[in-house]
Amino acid sequence: MHKGHDRDDVIDRILAKGADLCDEVEVFFTEGESVSAELKRSIVGEAHAARSWGIGIRTIRDGRIGASSTNDPSRWEDCLDAAIAGGTLATPQEWHGLPGPVTLSGSVPVFDPNITVAIEPAREMLRGLLAGAASWPVDVIGGSAGLSRSSVAIANSAGVHYTSERTGVGVSLEAIAGTSTGYEFDRSRFLDIDPFRVGEQAAFFAARSAGGGDIATGSYDVILSPVAVAQLLGNVLVPALSGRNVHAGRSFLAGKLGEQVLGETISVVDDPFARGMGSTLFDAEGVPTRRLAFIEEGVLSSYAYDLRTAYRYSEKTTASAVRGGAGGSPSIGIHNLLIEGPRHDIADERAVYAHDLVGAHTANPVTGDFSVELSNAFWMEGGDYAEPIRKAMLAGNVFSMFGAVDGLGRESRVVGSMILPPVRFKSMQVIGT
Amino acid sequence: MAEPRYWDIRHVEGAVTHVDIDNGVVESAGTSFFNRALLRVLGEHGWGVLTIENYASCSEKEIRDYIGRALQLARVTEEDVVLADAPSGMLPVPPLAEDPRDVSLEEKCGLLAGIEAAARLPGIASTRGRYTEDEGRVHFRDSSGNEYEYALCRSGFSVLAVARRGELMQMGRESEHTLSGLNLRHRQDMGRTAAERALALLDARPAKGGRMRALLDPELAGVFAHEAIGHASEGDLVKEGASIIKGRIGERIGNEILNIVDDPTLPEFGFEPVDAEGVAVARTEIIRNGVLSSYLHDRQTLAAVGDGIAGHARAVPGDVPVVRMSNTYIENGDASFDELLEACGTGILLAGSRGGQVDPGRGVFQFNAEYGYIVENGELGAMVRDVSLSGEILSTLHAIVLCGNDRKMHQGYCGKAGQSVPVSDGAPHVLLEEAVVGGSGA
């Protein structure tokens, strides 16, 4: 695949050269291939194939941390030099070493040997999406189906060298009925997604949201879908749990360890071993992962730490490092975030339901205040969708609304690096027309 | 093997430099490198698309092999893609006043630290400064013999301040990005402004939601132009049936005082010397005197939809060209700020932006202000916080009743199709009747 640039060779070279230049070196390596087929309306317009290759190098010298990344195999030496050069400008910090190797026990569900990265199976999934969408009288706007395989490795000068082979499959479809839109998607590491069901759901939302009525401004019980819940949690709760934000004075949850911060039946957990998109035995800096309870029955029990933040503030890493930080460095994140608590039939009593939110990223990450537009909003009653609602905004505060959770639904779904049920909230402010 | 009807390759090689300073601590500083190429091949029907690694070292034979592979992929496509003819040509890249690459990383760190330190006013609990610099050398060639090469360097910074009083926290943020050179010198005022805003917001009330007259500042009105009409005018959305303004060219969709333009030739943050499929860039008037005049197009959507010009295709390195906005703005009217306030009478002034989003098929958009003020009898009153605005494209554009004469552009990044591209949005102050304002205040 890459003459002279295969994985172990490039990792060994970087570790060897880095050992001469600094105290410690770490290499994060990814390689992968993917294909996707794209619908333009209801016919295939584009077929894509890609290979990816990338390294992130981190160097530590006298407590100064430097990082750099490249996707160009011929520039690994420039990348190493750039990491060291950047490190000379970083403020030195308390540092007690990269992790050493341990025997990782068990396995996580991230690889499906039945996944073939080829265009034909992607084309076949598009047929499934379209067949599902045909269940409702809608026009298909577009859709996508893709398959991927990747290889991830983390290695460091303390002897860690872990690898993980991963597969992925994803589909999405967007439909419209008049001016009523519907979007649905699913992603998995296994061939266990159902394109027909995804197409059917997108079409359902487009078709059933048409002809919605107005809602008067006021206070209503609101049910948010897992997709909508994920957007609010991802924009507000996840950054508030980051140890870096806590210690930097930017988190609503700072100083609240041991305090009741959510409703007393609600727990929030990061479970790297669950069947989700973020499942992994080691984090992005080679620390073995563990199940991490952030909030237990409403009481804040832990923040998330990576090594650098833990060392700086005399805490312990929670194996919460993920890749995606600036310039190829790790940052604090989540693997598979779960909400736990008693499950109910939450849609029996009348409430406003929203499948999606428009503008959740505009929520205030520091205070948790937000006001967003609802997408595919319905009245829900007797466990089922009733009349659609044409247009409504929802305003509130993420922390106080999760303090007033009225119930968790029975079925969870994977949304990015979260696995969430629908959630019912009491007395939310809805701005109607 | 069959020959492709068309192919193009866009290769971008460059480096991204960043500095991150958190409460006076240099968290990280450094440079990373990227090198990506994308090949598009038009088969009998639609596109085969391949990302190519190490394009710079590819021989012509290897490129022919890649074209063959992309053609194979294209065999599953069904859409009969037609490309409209479009003028080629490239604009000169605006000169850099001070080339960021000539300034050491150490000096940039020091300058950013000065801006970040200026935000550390009494009452401020947290400060953060970030600098990014993105330099890319673009090489484009296609099967028609067009070939372009240019280099661009975009850079800029943001500063965040969080004020704290007991349990209460609020944030203020300022940012400026540019393609005309290093902008870090003598900018401590930006740190102070962010801090003063955060402190002032501690005493602001949550806004009360409902329908009211709203005066938007130039930054927020620019986001309004981007979300409320810009996206819906993108030719790919029109072509696929995902825009509520499809089939409405020539229709009055807004007040007759309203003119909205997208112009990639302006030397602002969304500038492109040539578009991502080698087409010459030009200004497009989306709305002229309230009438929908043009869509934004690439070659394919122009051929399929008409009404407009190609030249609006943009792509991040290694990804497919997509119809995108560049520098989008509402043109100046003639009202002064005082006249706008007086015309507002009782309502709300909304300022700054935390971003926005639109569902162009449904025609509903939302965007969020950083802060606002109650307007009473034409005068600014108490400060409010956490206020957003939503609207319906087809009615809201009629609700713009007055435009100021003080247009300003603001820079940001716009996400679509998984690609985030640099844009600028702008407007003068504008007055909106019957705006739907979202807030949690009672």
Side-chain angles (χ1 to χ4, degrees), chain B residues 17-21 26 28-30 105 108-109 112 129-132:
Chain B
T17 295
H18 83 280
V19 182
D20 182 356
I21 302 180
V26 180
S28 60
L105 189 57
K108 289 165 189 162
C109 263
L112 183 70
R130 284 197 266 197
Y131 171 77
T132 60

Side-chain angles (χ1 to χ4, degrees), chain A residues 395-407:
Chain A
N397 179 282
V398 171
F399 299 105
S400 53
M401 75 192 270
F402 278 88
V405 165
D406 199 20

